[in-house]
Amino acid sequence: EGVIRVLPKPVDVSALLSLLADGVTRQRPVLIMDDDAAFLRSLSDVLRVRGFETIVATSLDDALNHMARRRPVAVLLHVQIDTPVGRDAVVAVHEVSPAVALILYSGRGDAADEIGRSIPRDWVHAYLRKPFAVDQVTGILDAIHYKR
């Protein structure tokens, strides 16, 4: 429930400082869900190079199973919001983990407006339009990790 490690007394100060330094780094993974395996692999590889642990999922069931086991800090979800499947995916992710930072992305120009009409605003942390710069994603993820 949040305990990282128990240190025996007397506390080894260098071990404590190392543990604290690790605590401010990225502890929880980022889950990426996309049905495009090549894009999923590319985005995951780039985020790993930038220091983020990633989990990949190609289906909603796979994503929900990972969420239950690993408790990601953020979920990047490719969504076609105008389809029932897209809305259902957002609802399912929110139900499993209401506090997760949900970052939606789509290639459609009007998807952000549709998301705003279809989904409560406080469910979505950010929206990105494909193609997006990796720095956009890492900036959002850095801010999320810093706050949590």
Side-chain angles (χ1 to χ4, degrees), residues 42-72:
S42 295
L43 182 56
S44 177
D45 288 348
V46 169
L47 290 178
R48 283 187 187 128
V49 166
R50 300 272 181 113
F52 294 93
E53 179 186 354
T54 61
I55 306 167
V56 296
T58 56
S59 71
L60 180 58
D61 287 339
D62 193 25
L64 297 177
N65 286 332
H66 284 303
M67 288 181 70
R69 288 194 321 270
R70 299 290 309 278
R71 293 186 16 203

PDB file of all heavy atoms in Angstrom, residues 42-72:
ATOM      1  N   SER A  42       7.023   1.789 -31.269  1.00  0.00           N
ATOM      2  CA  SER A  42       7.861   2.988 -31.434  1.00  0.00           C
ATOM      3  C   SER A  42       7.707   3.948 -30.259  1.00  0.00           C
ATOM      4  O   SER A  42       8.702   4.430 -29.703  1.00  0.00           O
ATOM      5  CB  SER A  42       7.507   3.722 -32.729  1.00  0.00           C
ATOM      6  OG  SER A  42       7.803   2.936 -33.835  1.00  0.00           O
ATOM      7  N   LEU A  43       6.474   4.239 -29.887  1.00  0.00           N
ATOM      8  CA  LEU A  43       6.236   5.159 -28.774  1.00  0.00           C
ATOM      9  C   LEU A  43       6.796   4.593 -27.473  1.00  0.00           C
ATOM     10  O   LEU A  43       7.438   5.303 -26.703  1.00  0.00           O
ATOM     11  CB  LEU A  43       4.737   5.463 -28.630  1.00  0.00           C
ATOM     12  CG  LEU A  43       4.361   6.445 -27.531  1.00  0.00           C
ATOM     13  CD1 LEU A  43       5.085   7.784 -27.686  1.00  0.00           C
ATOM     14  CD2 LEU A  43       2.842   6.653 -27.517  1.00  0.00           C
ATOM     15  N   SER A  44       6.580   3.312 -27.245  1.00  0.00           N
ATOM     16  CA  SER A  44       7.101   2.671 -26.040  1.00  0.00           C
ATOM     17  C   SER A  44       8.630   2.746 -26.002  1.00  0.00           C
ATOM     18  O   SER A  44       9.222   3.081 -24.966  1.00  0.00           O
ATOM     19  CB  SER A  44       6.634   1.217 -25.986  1.00  0.00           C
ATOM     20  OG  SER A  44       7.186   0.571 -24.870  1.00  0.00           O
ATOM     21  N   ASP A  45       9.280   2.448 -27.119  1.00  0.00           N
ATOM     22  CA  ASP A  45      10.744   2.492 -27.170  1.00  0.00           C
ATOM     23  C   ASP A  45      11.274   3.890 -26.886  1.00  0.00           C
ATOM     24  O   ASP A  45      12.228   4.066 -26.124  1.00  0.00           O
ATOM     25  CB  ASP A  45      11.245   2.024 -28.543  1.00  0.00           C
ATOM     26  CG  ASP A  45      11.074   0.526 -28.766  1.00  0.00           C
ATOM     27  OD1 ASP A  45      10.787  -0.211 -27.792  1.00  0.00           O
ATOM     28  OD2 ASP A  45      11.212   0.091 -29.931  1.00  0.00           O
ATOM     29  N   VAL A  46      10.646   4.901 -27.475  1.00  0.00           N
ATOM     30  CA  VAL A  46      11.094   6.274 -27.265  1.00  0.00           C
ATOM     31  C   VAL A  46      10.904   6.683 -25.804  1.00  0.00           C
ATOM     32  O   VAL A  46      11.789   7.298 -25.202  1.00  0.00           O
ATOM     33  CB  VAL A  46      10.349   7.246 -28.211  1.00  0.00           C
ATOM     34  CG1 VAL A  46      10.594   8.690 -27.824  1.00  0.00           C
ATOM     35  CG2 VAL A  46      10.767   6.997 -29.646  1.00  0.00           C
ATOM     36  N   LEU A  47       9.765   6.332 -25.212  1.00  0.00           N
ATOM     37  CA  LEU A  47       9.536   6.689 -23.808  1.00  0.00           C
ATOM     38  C   LEU A  47      10.523   5.967 -22.887  1.00  0.00           C
ATOM     39  O   LEU A  47      11.001   6.550 -21.909  1.00  0.00           O
ATOM     40  CB  LEU A  47       8.096   6.381 -23.407  1.00  0.00           C
ATOM     41  CG  LEU A  47       7.043   7.296 -24.033  1.00  0.00           C
ATOM     42  CD1 LEU A  47       5.639   6.877 -23.601  1.00  0.00           C
ATOM     43  CD2 LEU A  47       7.299   8.749 -23.686  1.00  0.00           C
ATOM     44  N   ARG A  48      10.839   4.734 -23.196  1.00  0.00           N
ATOM     45  CA  ARG A  48      11.830   4.001 -22.386  1.00  0.00           C
ATOM     46  C   ARG A  48      13.193   4.677 -22.461  1.00  0.00           C
ATOM     47  O   ARG A  48      13.878   4.809 -21.443  1.00  0.00           O
ATOM     48  CB  ARG A  48      11.923   2.554 -22.844  1.00  0.00           C
ATOM     49  CG  ARG A  48      10.785   1.712 -22.369  1.00  0.00           C
ATOM     50  CD  ARG A  48      11.006   0.239 -22.693  1.00  0.00           C
ATOM     51  NE  ARG A  48       9.813  -0.509 -22.376  1.00  0.00           N
ATOM     52  CZ  ARG A  48       9.207  -1.329 -23.207  1.00  0.00           C
ATOM     53  NH1 ARG A  48       9.690  -1.560 -24.405  1.00  0.00           N
ATOM     54  NH2 ARG A  48       8.112  -1.968 -22.829  1.00  0.00           N
ATOM     55  N   VAL A  49      13.585   5.087 -23.664  1.00  0.00           N
ATOM     56  CA  VAL A  49      14.858   5.786 -23.823  1.00  0.00           C
ATOM     57  C   VAL A  49      14.861   7.067 -22.996  1.00  0.00           C
ATOM     58  O   VAL A  49      15.881   7.453 -22.428  1.00  0.00           O
ATOM     59  CB  VAL A  49      15.137   6.092 -25.318  1.00  0.00           C
ATOM     60  CG1 VAL A  49      16.264   7.097 -25.494  1.00  0.00           C
ATOM     61  CG2 VAL A  49      15.443   4.810 -26.068  1.00  0.00           C
ATOM     62  N   ARG A  50      13.704   7.694 -22.875  1.00  0.00           N
ATOM     63  CA  ARG A  50      13.585   8.934 -22.099  1.00  0.00           C
ATOM     64  C   ARG A  50      13.416   8.673 -20.599  1.00  0.00           C
ATOM     65  O   ARG A  50      13.202   9.591 -19.821  1.00  0.00           O
ATOM     66  CB  ARG A  50      12.396   9.750 -22.598  1.00  0.00           C
ATOM     67  CG  ARG A  50      12.478  10.166 -24.043  1.00  0.00           C
ATOM     68  CD  ARG A  50      13.214  11.487 -24.207  1.00  0.00           C
ATOM     69  NE  ARG A  50      13.283  11.917 -25.577  1.00  0.00           N
ATOM     70  CZ  ARG A  50      12.672  12.991 -26.052  1.00  0.00           C
ATOM     71  NH1 ARG A  50      11.954  13.755 -25.265  1.00  0.00           N
ATOM     72  NH2 ARG A  50      12.799  13.305 -27.315  1.00  0.00           N
ATOM     73  N   GLY A  51      13.469   7.401 -20.177  1.00  0.00           N
ATOM     74  CA  GLY A  51      13.455   7.074 -18.757  1.00  0.00           C
ATOM     75  C   GLY A  51      12.128   6.649 -18.177  1.00  0.00           C
ATOM     76  O   GLY A  51      12.005   6.493 -16.963  1.00  0.00           O
ATOM     77  N   PHE A  52      11.132   6.440 -19.004  1.00  0.00           N
ATOM     78  CA  PHE A  52       9.822   6.016 -18.514  1.00  0.00           C
ATOM     79  C   PHE A  52       9.672   4.510 -18.664  1.00  0.00           C
ATOM     80  O   PHE A  52       9.946   3.962 -19.737  1.00  0.00           O
ATOM     81  CB  PHE A  52       8.688   6.697 -19.300  1.00  0.00           C
ATOM     82  CG  PHE A  52       8.633   8.182 -19.103  1.00  0.00           C
ATOM     83  CD1 PHE A  52       9.288   9.036 -19.967  1.00  0.00           C
ATOM     84  CD2 PHE A  52       7.922   8.726 -18.037  1.00  0.00           C
ATOM     85  CE1 PHE A  52       9.247  10.405 -19.794  1.00  0.00           C
ATOM     86  CE2 PHE A  52       7.876  10.101 -17.851  1.00  0.00           C
ATOM     87  CZ  PHE A  52       8.538  10.937 -18.726  1.00  0.00           C
ATOM     88  N   GLU A  53       9.228   3.860 -17.614  1.00  0.00           N
ATOM     89  CA  GLU A  53       8.868   2.450 -17.722  1.00  0.00           C
ATOM     90  C   GLU A  53       7.519   2.395 -18.430  1.00  0.00           C
ATOM     91  O   GLU A  53       6.611   3.159 -18.089  1.00  0.00           O
ATOM     92  CB  GLU A  53       8.748   1.797 -16.346  1.00  0.00           C
ATOM     93  CG  GLU A  53       8.352   0.345 -16.435  1.00  0.00           C
ATOM     94  CD  GLU A  53       8.090  -0.302 -15.084  1.00  0.00           C
ATOM     95  OE1 GLU A  53       8.319   0.338 -14.043  1.00  0.00           O
ATOM     96  OE2 GLU A  53       7.629  -1.460 -15.084  1.00  0.00           O
ATOM     97  N   THR A  54       7.388   1.528 -19.410  1.00  0.00           N
ATOM     98  CA  THR A  54       6.136   1.442 -20.146  1.00  0.00           C
ATOM     99  C   THR A  54       5.579   0.027 -20.118  1.00  0.00           C
ATOM    100  O   THR A  54       6.314  -0.943 -19.984  1.00  0.00           O
ATOM    101  CB  THR A  54       6.310   1.865 -21.621  1.00  0.00           C
ATOM    102  OG1 THR A  54       7.242   1.001 -22.248  1.00  0.00           O
ATOM    103  CG2 THR A  54       6.765   3.304 -21.731  1.00  0.00           C
ATOM    104  N   ILE A  55       4.273  -0.036 -20.242  1.00  0.00           N
ATOM    105  CA  ILE A  55       3.539  -1.278 -20.425  1.00  0.00           C
ATOM    106  C   ILE A  55       2.728  -1.059 -21.692  1.00  0.00           C
ATOM    107  O   ILE A  55       2.146   0.011 -21.880  1.00  0.00           O
ATOM    108  CB  ILE A  55       2.560  -1.542 -19.265  1.00  0.00           C
ATOM    109  CG1 ILE A  55       3.259  -1.502 -17.925  1.00  0.00           C
ATOM    110  CG2 ILE A  55       1.838  -2.865 -19.461  1.00  0.00           C
ATOM    111  CD1 ILE A  55       2.297  -1.441 -16.757  1.00  0.00           C
ATOM    112  N   VAL A  56       2.686  -2.040 -22.564  1.00  0.00           N
ATOM    113  CA  VAL A  56       1.926  -1.888 -23.800  1.00  0.00           C
ATOM    114  C   VAL A  56       0.741  -2.844 -23.815  1.00  0.00           C
ATOM    115  O   VAL A  56       0.801  -3.941 -23.269  1.00  0.00           O
ATOM    116  CB  VAL A  56       2.808  -2.105 -25.043  1.00  0.00           C
ATOM    117  CG1 VAL A  56       3.885  -1.044 -25.127  1.00  0.00           C
ATOM    118  CG2 VAL A  56       3.424  -3.488 -25.056  1.00  0.00           C
ATOM    119  N   ALA A  57      -0.326  -2.388 -24.440  1.00  0.00           N
ATOM    120  CA  ALA A  57      -1.533  -3.200 -24.581  1.00  0.00           C
ATOM    121  C   ALA A  57      -2.135  -2.923 -25.953  1.00  0.00           C
ATOM    122  O   ALA A  57      -2.200  -1.772 -26.378  1.00  0.00           O
ATOM    123  CB  ALA A  57      -2.539  -2.860 -23.490  1.00  0.00           C
ATOM    124  N   THR A  58      -2.570  -3.994 -26.614  1.00  0.00           N
ATOM    125  CA  THR A  58      -3.194  -3.835 -27.926  1.00  0.00           C
ATOM    126  C   THR A  58      -4.704  -3.984 -27.868  1.00  0.00           C
ATOM    127  O   THR A  58      -5.381  -3.826 -28.875  1.00  0.00           O
ATOM    128  CB  THR A  58      -2.616  -4.853 -28.930  1.00  0.00           C
ATOM    129  OG1 THR A  58      -2.787  -6.159 -28.391  1.00  0.00           O
ATOM    130  CG2 THR A  58      -1.148  -4.583 -29.199  1.00  0.00           C
ATOM    131  N   SER A  59      -5.223  -4.286 -26.671  1.00  0.00           N
ATOM    132  CA  SER A  59      -6.673  -4.415 -26.524  1.00  0.00           C
ATOM    133  C   SER A  59      -7.097  -3.844 -25.177  1.00  0.00           C
ATOM    134  O   SER A  59      -6.273  -3.705 -24.256  1.00  0.00           O
ATOM    135  CB  SER A  59      -7.097  -5.885 -26.601  1.00  0.00           C
ATOM    136  OG  SER A  59      -6.686  -6.580 -25.434  1.00  0.00           O
ATOM    137  N   LEU A  60      -8.367  -3.548 -25.060  1.00  0.00           N
ATOM    138  CA  LEU A  60      -8.894  -3.015 -23.801  1.00  0.00           C
ATOM    139  C   LEU A  60      -8.757  -4.030 -22.678  1.00  0.00           C
ATOM    140  O   LEU A  60      -8.346  -3.680 -21.572  1.00  0.00           O
ATOM    141  CB  LEU A  60     -10.352  -2.578 -23.972  1.00  0.00           C
ATOM    142  CG  LEU A  60     -11.014  -1.998 -22.731  1.00  0.00           C
ATOM    143  CD1 LEU A  60     -10.247  -0.788 -22.205  1.00  0.00           C
ATOM    144  CD2 LEU A  60     -12.462  -1.639 -23.029  1.00  0.00           C
ATOM    145  N   ASP A  61      -9.079  -5.291 -22.942  1.00  0.00           N
ATOM    146  CA  ASP A  61      -8.946  -6.314 -21.904  1.00  0.00           C
ATOM    147  C   ASP A  61      -7.518  -6.415 -21.400  1.00  0.00           C
ATOM    148  O   ASP A  61      -7.278  -6.505 -20.195  1.00  0.00           O
ATOM    149  CB  ASP A  61      -9.416  -7.681 -22.419  1.00  0.00           C
ATOM    150  CG  ASP A  61     -10.925  -7.762 -22.567  1.00  0.00           C
ATOM    151  OD1 ASP A  61     -11.633  -6.952 -21.923  1.00  0.00           O
ATOM    152  OD2 ASP A  61     -11.395  -8.636 -23.324  1.00  0.00           O
ATOM    153  N   ASP A  62      -6.573  -6.399 -22.320  1.00  0.00           N
ATOM    154  CA  ASP A  62      -5.160  -6.450 -21.954  1.00  0.00           C
ATOM    155  C   ASP A  62      -4.788  -5.239 -21.098  1.00  0.00           C
ATOM    156  O   ASP A  62      -4.120  -5.358 -20.065  1.00  0.00           O
ATOM    157  CB  ASP A  62      -4.323  -6.501 -23.236  1.00  0.00           C
ATOM    158  CG  ASP A  62      -2.874  -6.861 -23.003  1.00  0.00           C
ATOM    159  OD1 ASP A  62      -2.566  -7.519 -21.995  1.00  0.00           O
ATOM    160  OD2 ASP A  62      -2.044  -6.483 -23.859  1.00  0.00           O
ATOM    161  N   ALA A  63      -5.242  -4.062 -21.503  1.00  0.00           N
ATOM    162  CA  ALA A  63      -4.948  -2.838 -20.749  1.00  0.00           C
ATOM    163  C   ALA A  63      -5.525  -2.897 -19.341  1.00  0.00           C
ATOM    164  O   ALA A  63      -4.853  -2.556 -18.365  1.00  0.00           O
ATOM    165  CB  ALA A  63      -5.493  -1.621 -21.493  1.00  0.00           C
ATOM    166  N   LEU A  64      -6.763  -3.341 -19.225  1.00  0.00           N
ATOM    167  CA  LEU A  64      -7.405  -3.406 -17.904  1.00  0.00           C
ATOM    168  C   LEU A  64      -6.707  -4.415 -17.002  1.00  0.00           C
ATOM    169  O   LEU A  64      -6.551  -4.168 -15.791  1.00  0.00           O
ATOM    170  CB  LEU A  64      -8.889  -3.737 -18.053  1.00  0.00           C
ATOM    171  CG  LEU A  64      -9.715  -2.685 -18.809  1.00  0.00           C
ATOM    172  CD1 LEU A  64     -11.157  -3.150 -18.967  1.00  0.00           C
ATOM    173  CD2 LEU A  64      -9.643  -1.329 -18.129  1.00  0.00           C
ATOM    174  N   ASN A  65      -6.258  -5.525 -17.565  1.00  0.00           N
ATOM    175  CA  ASN A  65      -5.503  -6.502 -16.769  1.00  0.00           C
ATOM    176  C   ASN A  65      -4.195  -5.905 -16.266  1.00  0.00           C
ATOM    177  O   ASN A  65      -3.831  -6.067 -15.097  1.00  0.00           O
ATOM    178  CB  ASN A  65      -5.217  -7.769 -17.590  1.00  0.00           C
ATOM    179  CG  ASN A  65      -6.446  -8.620 -17.774  1.00  0.00           C
ATOM    180  OD1 ASN A  65      -7.350  -8.613 -16.947  1.00  0.00           O
ATOM    181  ND2 ASN A  65      -6.501  -9.355 -18.873  1.00  0.00           N
ATOM    182  N   HIS A  66      -3.484  -5.202 -17.140  1.00  0.00           N
ATOM    183  CA  HIS A  66      -2.244  -4.534 -16.720  1.00  0.00           C
ATOM    184  C   HIS A  66      -2.520  -3.487 -15.652  1.00  0.00           C
ATOM    185  O   HIS A  66      -1.761  -3.365 -14.683  1.00  0.00           O
ATOM    186  CB  HIS A  66      -1.559  -3.860 -17.916  1.00  0.00           C
ATOM    187  CG  HIS A  66      -0.857  -4.795 -18.834  1.00  0.00           C
ATOM    188  ND1 HIS A  66       0.141  -5.653 -18.426  1.00  0.00           N
ATOM    189  CD2 HIS A  66      -1.014  -5.015 -20.163  1.00  0.00           C
ATOM    190  CE1 HIS A  66       0.580  -6.350 -19.454  1.00  0.00           C
ATOM    191  NE2 HIS A  66      -0.113  -5.986 -20.532  1.00  0.00           N
ATOM    192  N   MET A  67      -3.597  -2.750 -15.811  1.00  0.00           N
ATOM    193  CA  MET A  67      -3.927  -1.705 -14.838  1.00  0.00           C
ATOM    194  C   MET A  67      -4.188  -2.291 -13.464  1.00  0.00           C
ATOM    195  O   MET A  67      -3.780  -1.719 -12.451  1.00  0.00           O
ATOM    196  CB  MET A  67      -5.146  -0.907 -15.305  1.00  0.00           C
ATOM    197  CG  MET A  67      -4.856   0.009 -16.471  1.00  0.00           C
ATOM    198  SD  MET A  67      -6.298   0.949 -16.970  1.00  0.00           S
ATOM    199  CE  MET A  67      -6.457   2.070 -15.575  1.00  0.00           C
ATOM    200  N   ALA A  68      -4.854  -3.421 -13.415  1.00  0.00           N
ATOM    201  CA  ALA A  68      -5.154  -4.049 -12.133  1.00  0.00           C
ATOM    202  C   ALA A  68      -3.881  -4.536 -11.438  1.00  0.00           C
ATOM    203  O   ALA A  68      -3.778  -4.468 -10.213  1.00  0.00           O
ATOM    204  CB  ALA A  68      -6.118  -5.213 -12.346  1.00  0.00           C
ATOM    205  N   ARG A  69      -2.921  -4.994 -12.217  1.00  0.00           N
ATOM    206  CA  ARG A  69      -1.697  -5.549 -11.635  1.00  0.00           C
ATOM    207  C   ARG A  69      -0.627  -4.501 -11.350  1.00  0.00           C
ATOM    208  O   ARG A  69       0.084  -4.595 -10.359  1.00  0.00           O
ATOM    209  CB  ARG A  69      -1.108  -6.613 -12.568  1.00  0.00           C
ATOM    210  CG  ARG A  69      -1.890  -7.890 -12.616  1.00  0.00           C
ATOM    211  CD  ARG A  69      -1.132  -9.042 -13.267  1.00  0.00           C
ATOM    212  NE  ARG A  69      -0.339  -8.681 -14.418  1.00  0.00           N
ATOM    213  CZ  ARG A  69      -0.777  -8.679 -15.675  1.00  0.00           C
ATOM    214  NH1 ARG A  69      -2.020  -9.011 -15.941  1.00  0.00           N
ATOM    215  NH2 ARG A  69       0.029  -8.354 -16.677  1.00  0.00           N
ATOM    216  N   ARG A  70      -0.479  -3.514 -12.225  1.00  0.00           N
ATOM    217  CA  ARG A  70       0.678  -2.621 -12.147  1.00  0.00           C
ATOM    218  C   ARG A  70       0.381  -1.199 -11.686  1.00  0.00           C
ATOM    219  O   ARG A  70       1.295  -0.442 -11.407  1.00  0.00           O
ATOM    220  CB  ARG A  70       1.361  -2.554 -13.518  1.00  0.00           C
ATOM    221  CG  ARG A  70       1.892  -3.861 -14.055  1.00  0.00           C
ATOM    222  CD  ARG A  70       3.093  -4.407 -13.315  1.00  0.00           C
ATOM    223  NE  ARG A  70       4.165  -3.468 -13.132  1.00  0.00           N
ATOM    224  CZ  ARG A  70       5.099  -3.173 -14.033  1.00  0.00           C
ATOM    225  NH1 ARG A  70       5.075  -3.734 -15.214  1.00  0.00           N
ATOM    226  NH2 ARG A  70       6.046  -2.303 -13.758  1.00  0.00           N
ATOM    227  N   ARG A  71      -0.884  -0.797 -11.657  1.00  0.00           N
ATOM    228  CA  ARG A  71      -1.271   0.547 -11.241  1.00  0.00           C
ATOM    229  C   ARG A  71      -0.455   1.645 -11.921  1.00  0.00           C
ATOM    230  O   ARG A  71       0.322   2.349 -11.280  1.00  0.00           O
ATOM    231  CB  ARG A  71      -1.164   0.681  -9.736  1.00  0.00           C
ATOM    232  CG  ARG A  71      -2.140  -0.159  -8.977  1.00  0.00           C
ATOM    233  CD  ARG A  71      -2.082   0.112  -7.502  1.00  0.00           C
ATOM    234  NE  ARG A  71      -1.381   1.360  -7.249  1.00  0.00           N
ATOM    235  CZ  ARG A  71      -0.785   1.678  -6.135  1.00  0.00           C
ATOM    236  NH1 ARG A  71      -0.792   0.871  -5.138  1.00  0.00           N
ATOM    237  NH2 ARG A  71      -0.164   2.828  -5.982  1.00  0.00           N
ATOM    238  N   PRO A  72      -0.606   1.817 -13.211  1.00  0.00           N
ATOM    239  CA  PRO A  72       0.171   2.862 -13.906  1.00  0.00           C
ATOM    240  C   PRO A  72      -0.194   4.257 -13.423  1.00  0.00           C
ATOM    241  O   PRO A  72      -1.298   4.494 -12.951  1.00  0.00           O
ATOM    242  CB  PRO A  72      -0.218   2.669 -15.377  1.00  0.00           C
ATOM    243  CG  PRO A  72      -1.545   2.002 -15.334  1.00  0.00           C
ATOM    244  CD  PRO A  72      -1.548   1.153 -14.095  1.00  0.00           C
TER     245      PRO A  72
END
